[in-house]
Amino acid sequence: MNKCWFFGDSFTYGTLCHAGDSYYEQTYVDGNRRWSTKVANQLQCIEVNTAKEGDTNLGILYLLLKEMSNIKANDWVILGDTRPQRVDGFDADGNRCNIINDRL
């Protein structure tokens, strides 16, 4: 079966829309699914959601490039972007993190 690959930020990841999340438990009933699951089902593919909450456009692109060798002919790739103000930075321990500068 072909795969449907999803790359993006929290919107693509489905923040709060996973079993165990409070929003999910209060909102989701039989038949409701994350949009990425609905798309994969419609395309009759296996869903592979690589999205990360708070990811930057550079981070999204990095994940796409990292997975390129795993993406096969006839697979689908859905690429989402995020706010351009969200950029990569590093915390005090040198770990990659994102910085959002929304101030006008």
Side-chain angles (χ1 to χ4, degrees), residues 8-67:
D9 64 0
S10 55
F11 176 72
T12 303
Y13 171 74
T15 297
L16 299 178
C17 298
H18 297 265
D21 293 334
S22 59
Y23 174 79
Y24 177 94
E25 300 301 334
Q26 295 171 11
T27 307
Y28 279 58
V29 294
D30 291 339
N32 276 344
R33 303 282 185 267
R34 290 185 319 269
W35 73 268
S36 56
T37 303
K38 289 181 178 185
V39 169
N41 288 344
Q42 184 67 31
L43 295 172
Q44 299 179 353
C45 294
I46 297 168
E47 178 183 7
V48 182
N49 193 327
T50 68
K52 296 185 186 299
E53 295 175 299
D55 213 349
T56 65
N57 285 318
L58 185 61
I60 294 166
L61 180 59
Y62 170 79
L63 280 173
L64 173 62
L65 294 173
K66 182 179 171 187
E67 294 294 342

Side-chain angles (χ1 to χ4, degrees), residues 82-87 98-104:
T82 191
R83 295 190 248 168
Q85 297 92 337
R86 187 179 275 172
V87 296
N98 75 69
I99 302 166
I100 299 177
N101 184 2
D102 284 339
R103 295 183 187 160
L104 298 174

